[in-house]
Amino acid sequence: MIRVLALFCCLVMLSVTGPAVGIAQACGLKLNAKANRVPLRSAIPTQVHIFRNSQSKSLSRALEQAGHTVVVVENIRQLKNEHGRTVVLADAHNAAEVKKHFSEVLVVNTTESTQKTLHELELQLRSKNKI
């Protein structure tokens, strides 16, 4: 009985407020739809090494969803013989060490934001491969 009364009230409110107002709003409901942040697929999937830190889990998950192969490393010694299409994501301190030891590897500095880091990675990959 209460549901029937609520439906009747909604229909009355809808007729009073006009067709431009949605049924949910006429019933006093506020609906907010959040957009899903689905990462886009990378134009150049590559092997990415990231140093383990507080954001490495979320960053590695986002990189894998974008199509990259992710390797999480503890320190620079685990980067032996890395070359070719390998990318290293590192903070400022680790980035300087990687550049010093591996000149042929593309090094991208990480930021606090996973989305900004992914965007910077894509820009660097596109400029390196001229896409």
Side-chain angles (χ1 to χ4, degrees), residues 60-113:
S60 64
R61 188 172 34 251
L63 287 165
E64 286 172 349
Q65 288 176 344
H68 299 287
T69 303
V70 179
V71 178
V72 179
V73 296
E74 298 289 334
N75 54 45
I76 196 168
R77 287 175 288 189
Q78 293 179 333
L79 294 174
K80 290 186 232 174
N81 300 323
E82 298 301 336
H83 61 282
R85 293 182 60 136
T86 301
V87 176
V88 177
L89 296 180
D91 58 10
H93 172 69
N94 288 328
E97 286 293 314
V98 171
K99 286 177 184 177
K100 188 166 84 173
H101 289 90
F102 304 101
S103 60
E104 70 278 356
V105 172
L106 176 64
V107 180
V108 178
N109 289 334
T110 56
T111 64
E112 294 84 31
S113 167

Side-chain angles (χ1 to χ4, degrees), residues 28-41:
L29 300 174
K30 292 184 180 180
L31 302 176
N32 290 329
K34 285 188 174 180
N36 260 348
R37 289 190 175 213
V38 177
L40 298 175
R41 299 294 290 181

Side-chain angles (χ1 to χ4, degrees), residues 5-20:
L5 183 59
L7 181 61
F8 176 73
C9 289
C10 287
L11 291 174
V12 169
M13 286 298 294
L14 183 61
S15 65
V16 170
T17 57

